[in-house]
Amino acid sequence: MASIKPGKETSQDFAADLASLRDDVAKLNSSLSEFIRTHSATSTNTVFEAADNAPQKISDTANKAHVPVAGATTDVETTIEHKPMVAALIAMVAGMLVGLLSRGRK
């Protein structure tokens, strides 16, 4: 069975425990602050690096996309030169479809 301590000794134990708890909370606060400071700096550097690299990546992607588009444009131009009637018919049908789709329904 637990022994009963006098009131003064119990309050001293309580005060010591409370002081120890305050020290532990202060250490935890310090550790947490350092952790947040370290990780926020790392995250900030990562975001800035990504933002710095974004224009170059966009430029590279645009250059890569330009080659197939240029090839397709040349193919379309060649087809139009060789078959102008088919090209005119396709343009007419496309124009009619756009006109029908852009009209309001009544």
Side-chain angles (χ1 to χ4, degrees):
M1 204 178 232
S3 63
I4 299 176
K5 295 181 180 180
K8 190 170 189 165
E9 189 178 324
T10 303
S11 73
Q12 288 174 348
D13 288 346
F14 180 73
D17 288 344
L18 187 58
S20 176
L21 182 61
R22 283 183 183 154
D23 289 341
D24 289 345
V25 169
K27 288 177 187 175
L28 180 62
N29 187 20
S30 175
S31 297
L32 189 57
S33 296
E34 183 63 29
F35 176 79
I36 290 172
R37 197 174 313 118
T38 301
H39 286 328
S40 67
T42 303
S43 299
T44 301
N45 289 340
T46 302
V47 169
F48 281 133
E49 286 174 9
D52 288 342
N53 294 334
Q56 184 61 41
K57 287 184 179 182
I58 290 171
S59 177
D60 291 346
T61 303
N63 289 336
K64 288 177 185 176
H66 183 265
V67 173
V69 170
T73 302
T74 304
D75 291 344
V76 170
E77 288 175 355
T78 304
T79 303
I80 290 172
E81 288 175 2
H82 292 331
K83 301 177 183 178
M85 291 302 291
V86 173
L89 182 61
I90 290 172
M92 185 182 77
V93 170
M96 289 177 65
L97 285 174
V98 169
L100 288 174
L101 291 173
S102 66
R103 285 189 351 189
R105 294 186 182 179
K106 291 184 180 182

